[in-house]
Each structure stands twice: as C-alpha cells, then as structure tokens.
Amino acid sequence: MKRDMDLMRDLLLKFEATTEPYMRQGELVGDDFLNAQAIDFHINLMLLDDLLYDNGTALAPTNKGYDLLDMIREEDIWEQTKKSANDIGGFTGEVLVALAKGFIKKKLEKHTGLEIDL
C-alpha cells in the first residue's frame, strides 16, 4: 500500500475538529473495508513517526502531530508542498516538513516584511 499524505492530513484535521481529547480508532474508520485498511495502515505510520499517541484505548495527536498540522492546514500551503514534492519525484516526512516550513516562511516574510528563521 502506498503512503497517502492527503489521508494523513485528513486524519489530523479530523482529530483537531473533535471536542474530545482522544478518539477511538473505530471513530476514524468507515464501513468500507479497503478504507478501513488504509486508515489503519496510516494510523500505524503516524504512530511510528510520533505524530499520534496511543493511550491504550484511544488516539490523539502529539505536539509533533499538531506542529505538522499547523504547517499544512492551509490548503494553499499544502498544495504547494505536495506539488514541490511531486516535482522532485517523492519525499520523506522530513522533506515534507522542510517544504511546508519554507512556504510558510515565505508567506510570513511577504505578510510581515520580516525575515523569519524557522
């Protein structure tokens, strides 16, 4: 199964949209078996990357997960990040973060006129 960064972003957005501090994995998975497999696969990837925390019964984003979401929440930043990653032929999680930071830095500098070191 291929890693789907859009799905990982969607999962982080879903966590953020809830008013509960934790969500059970079943709340993230739909009725479609293939969708359930993809979500389970990506949740495990996110756990391995310390983007999610598992308290034994439910999941929540870690600070690292929220940091990533803060970088890729805005659709324009996300689309620029994905396009750049695809243009270079692929990416790791670190490259994705570096690209998103670069686009955010550029946007901040344009908005404030200040050079900001992220």
Side-chain angles (χ1 to χ4, degrees):
M1 180 176 294
K2 282 188 168 186
R3 180 174 56 176
D4 182 344
M5 293 306 295
D6 284 313
L7 177 56
M8 292 171 80
R9 178 179 178 259
D10 290 345
L11 290 168
L12 287 171
L13 288 167
K14 193 168 186 174
F15 275 108
E16 184 180 57
T18 185
T19 58
E20 299 299 320
Y22 293 94
M23 291 180 74
R24 287 182 170 59
Q25 194 159 339
E27 296 174 271
L28 298 165
V29 176
D31 295 330
D32 178 11
F33 178 70
L34 292 176
N35 186 38
Q37 280 187 316
I39 290 172
D40 187 53
F41 176 78
H42 286 81
I43 285 172
N44 285 324
L45 288 177
M46 294 169 77
L47 286 165
L48 290 171
D49 280 345
D50 296 322
L51 298 174
L52 295 179
Y53 168 74
D54 183 351
N55 73 359
T57 59
L59 305 165
T62 61
N63 275 335
K64 186 176 175 181
Y66 277 116
D67 287 348
L68 176 59
L69 181 57
D70 285 342
M71 286 185 274
I72 61 174
R73 178 182 294 106
E74 285 190 43
E75 193 65 36
D76 65 324
I77 298 289
W78 178 237
E79 290 303 321
Q80 289 175 342
T81 301
K82 285 192 322 181
K83 182 182 180 324
S84 294
N86 288 331
D87 287 350
I88 61 171
F91 53 90
T92 65
E94 290 84 19
V95 169
L96 181 79
V97 168
L99 286 168
K101 277 185 184 179
F103 288 119
I104 288 171
K105 181 180 176 186
K106 186 176 172 183
K107 191 172 185 174
L108 284 169
E109 288 173 357
K110 184 178 178 182
H111 181 72
T112 64
L114 301 172
E115 261 190 54
I116 298 171
D117 187 29
L118 295 178

